Every structure is written in C-alpha cells, then in structure tokens.
Amino acid sequence: MIEEIVREHLKAQMNTDKVYMEVPEKPLKKFIVIEKTGSRMVNLINYSTIAVQSYDESLEKTAKLNELVKAAMFSLADNAGIGKVKLETDYNFTDITTKRYRYQAVFDITHY
C-alpha cells in the first residue's frame, strides 16, 4: 500500500515514530497524519494523491514542520517503485473544530 510506504519513509526521513494514518485518540503536540485521497491506474502504472497533515502547538512551528515534510516527501522518489513525487499544493488548514494548528500538503505520486 502506498500509504504504508509513505508513512515508513516519513518516519525514517524525519526520525520520528509520530506519523499516523489517522489522528490518534490522544494526540500529541506534534505529529503527522497521511491520507490517500484518490488514485487511478493507467497502463499498469499507479497514480495516488496523498494528503500529509502536519500538526504542532503554534502556527509557526506547524509551518516549519510542513516544510520538513515537503523535503522528506521529495526524497520518496529515490525509493524503488516510486516514479515521481509532485507537490500539488500546501496551505494552512487549521482545524477550527479542535482549534489545533495544522498544515496540509497534497502530493501526486506515480508508483509501480
């Protein structure tokens, strides 16, 4: 699953185990959540859209974490089976329900 590949890659590149596929029941101050928001296959080549959400205790720290996530995601293309990583967009996505600072970066990944 591409989500597992991305999660393990981010854990290794960012030297943290706080990368999840859903928001934890008892969230920490700083963590990352990945989610596949779409996919398609053309000529046996997979294309997936992955949203990576960064959480931290201030807007500034969250923005900095987002920049680190983006750098780590670009190195995903060095892995076997990953053809391309493209950043579609990233933006402040503060959660108004929980009042938690959050950034979201959306990537298109070509993989085999």
Side-chain angles (χ1 to χ4, degrees):
M1 251 175 31
I2 189 65
E3 299 97 307
E4 291 173 343
I5 293 169
V6 170
R7 182 182 62 198
E8 294 307 312
H9 178 77
L10 286 176
K11 283 181 175 183
Q13 290 295 307
M14 300 186 72
N15 197 28
T16 183
D17 61 347
K18 297 172 182 80
V19 181
Y20 306 99
M21 293 175 72
E22 60 185 321
V23 176
E25 280 188 34
K26 295 182 181 180
L28 306 165
K29 290 180 182 179
K30 178 180 177 178
F31 64 97
I32 298 164
V33 174
I34 63 164
E35 176 182 1
K36 182 164 81 170
T37 61
S39 65
R40 65 189 188 285
M41 180 185 277
V42 178
N43 296 328
L44 301 176
I45 298 174
N46 295 296
Y47 302 88
S48 296
T49 302
I50 302 288
V52 183
Q53 298 173 353
S54 301
Y55 291 81
D56 210 332
E57 57 189 344
S58 74
L59 189 57
E60 180 182 8
K61 288 180 179 180
T62 306
K64 288 179 180 178
L65 179 58
N66 180 63
E67 291 301 315
L68 294 172
V69 163
K70 292 189 310 184
M73 284 295 292
F74 290 130
S75 69
L76 179 66
D78 296 337
N79 293 344
I82 305 295
K84 181 171 85 170
V85 176
K86 177 183 173 190
L87 175 67
E88 282 299 321
T89 188
D90 70 312
Y91 46 90
N92 179 350
F93 193 46
T94 297
D95 187 335
I96 58 173
T97 305
T98 62
K99 299 186 178 13
R100 292 210 57 161
Y101 295 110
R102 172 177 65 178
Y103 257 71
Q104 180 164 282
V106 180
F107 297 88
D108 284 329
I109 301 171
T110 304
H111 54 103
Y112 311 97

